[in-house]
Amino acid sequence: MPDISLTMIALLCLAALAAGWIDAVVGGGGLLLLPVLLLGLPANTPAAHALGTNKAVAIVGTTGAAVTYARKAPVDVRTAVRIGLAALAGSSAGAFFAAGMSTDVLKPVIMVVLLGVAAFVILRPAFGTAPATGPVSRRRILAAIGLAGLGIGFYDGLIGPGTGTFLVLALTAVLHLDLVTASATAKIVNCCTNAGALATFAWQGAVLWQLAALMAVFNLAGGTLGAHTALKKGSGFVRVVLLTVVFALVANLAYEQWLA
């Protein structure tokens, strides 16, 4: 356990609780949890330890949310796992290229894409409110594996912030899922990408396991509560949270690009 005060540990646990809830509803919990970890850990702590600890915490809450969704939402687990395995491969490739690529070039592009997504969701009130009426075609499943799996998985390894939100949007658009089912499917995919990243960080010795275990308890509670909230409130509620997270992600990327 790093040498940090009890007050900071309490704040980290509260952040883990809130991040678990946000991540379960629509993704993007890392927007809260990772910055709090970077600020809360001692100044001499390597950044990789914050990233590794974040993954160790997040995978617990994501798994709890995925199990909750799978029990109560109409999730096609087989399709979700296939997309997840593709995302695992994509995130590994993204992490490989991350070392030699400046993400500052990509961040403005991502901000424009996110603003376009927000405009689309606002102008299309019916987006994600009703599932497809028939079975999903093989072509759409392959498209989801390519876009949500390989494509967004690559982004997760290369940059990372907002991966869960991108997954929800892609799964809603490509597979014609409602936002609740898309969130449920995204959690299963996220479990795969988090597992790959955590294995890498653990191999590098970059996980603060004692702190991660404590925070994971709160993240699990937040994730389970968030999944129950989304199932109870429905797609309209998830849509509002989605737009909030999208604008928060744009603000976060803008700050990192021009003000940090």
Side-chain angles (χ1 to χ4, degrees):
M1 179 77 78
D3 185 19
I4 55 179
S5 67
L6 288 176
T7 301
M8 182 54 67
I9 291 175
L11 289 174
L12 288 171
C13 289
L14 288 175
L17 178 71
W21 188 91
I22 294 169
D23 210 42
V25 175
V26 76
L31 291 172
L32 172 63
L33 188 57
L34 183 56
V36 172
L37 270 170
L38 290 169
L39 290 172
L41 292 175
N44 60 347
T45 304
H49 284 66
L51 293 169
T53 304
N54 174 61
K55 286 299 182 184
V57 174
I59 194 171
V60 176
T62 300
T63 302
V67 171
T68 301
Y69 274 125
R71 288 176 175 173
K72 298 186 178 182
V75 183
D76 186 340
V77 177
R78 183 168 177 267
T79 298
V81 170
R82 289 163 69 185
I83 297 171
L85 292 175
L88 179 60
S91 63
S92 299
F96 176 79
F97 282 101
M101 182 179 293
S102 173
T103 58
D104 290 339
V105 177
L106 296 177
K107 286 178 182 177
V109 176
I110 296 166
M111 282 187 275
V112 172
V113 172
L114 281 169
L115 289 172
V117 165
F120 176 82
V121 174
I122 291 172
L123 295 173
R124 295 284 297 274
F127 178 74
T129 58
T133 55
V136 180
S137 68
R138 185 171 180 270
R139 180 179 296 180
R140 287 191 176 274
I141 292 176
L142 290 175
I145 291 173
L147 176 61
L150 292 173
I152 297 177
F154 183 85
Y155 167 80
D156 191 24
L158 188 65
I159 302 179
T163 295
T165 305
F166 278 126
L167 282 172
V168 171
L169 290 166
L171 293 169
T172 302
V174 176
L175 297 181
H176 288 174
L177 303 176
D178 63 86
L179 286 171
V180 172
T181 306
S183 293
T185 306
K187 292 307 103 192
I188 297 175
V189 177
N190 253 166
C191 286
C192 296
T193 57
N194 283 341
L198 179 58
T200 301
F201 285 120
W203 178 72
Q204 295 172 343
V207 180
L208 303 171
W209 290 110
Q210 289 179 306
L211 179 61
L214 180 60
M215 293 174 64
V217 174
F218 289 84
N219 194 251
L220 175 62
T224 304
L225 178 62
H228 280 296
T229 303
L231 288 165
K232 181 180 179 180
K233 298 289 187 179
S235 294
F237 172 78
V238 175
R239 183 173 181 270
V240 173
V241 178
L242 172 64
L243 287 171
T244 302
V245 171
V246 165
F247 285 120
L249 180 55
V250 170
N252 178 70
L253 290 172
Y255 175 81
E256 290 181 353
Q257 179 72 14
W258 293 299
L259 299 177

